[in-house]
Amino acid sequence: MAWAGVWAAALVSVAFIVFMLQNTTPVQVSFLGLHGTLPLAVAMLIAMISGILLTLVLGTARITQLRRLASRRRRQKR
């Protein structure tokens, strides 16, 4: 099972490297008054990582909220 995970990670890594090498065209990026030029692959990578982090933060906040609510309800039933 571990080897399957290693192979899957290797294939995803190779595909990612190919993607990065094929998308080196510079693009103009503007965000909150900041302006700059980045390779397209880097801009997309930053956007993807930002989306993942935002999802993790909001998901963690919601799970914490639900756990507190469940804890309060368990204490009220006693």
Side-chain angles (χ1 to χ4, degrees), residues 29-44:
V29 178
S30 298
F31 182 69
L32 296 176
L34 302 171
H35 306 283
T37 303
L38 294 171
L40 177 60
V42 174
M44 292 179 70

Side-chain angles (χ1 to χ4, degrees), residues 2 4 6 11 16 23-25 29 34 36-39 44 51-53 57 61-62 64-65 68-69 77:
V6 170
L11 289 174
F16 181 69
N23 291 289
T24 58
T25 305
V29 178
L34 302 171
T37 303
L38 294 171
M44 292 179 70
I52 290 170
L53 290 176
V57 167
R62 181 64 178 151
T64 302
Q65 182 185 39
R68 285 183 183 164
L69 180 62
K77 286 184 179 182

Side-chain angles (χ1 to χ4, degrees), residues 4-20 48:
V6 170
W7 276 104
L11 289 174
V12 168
S13 297
V14 168
F16 181 69
I17 290 169
V18 170
F19 171 80
M20 294 283 286
M48 179 186 70

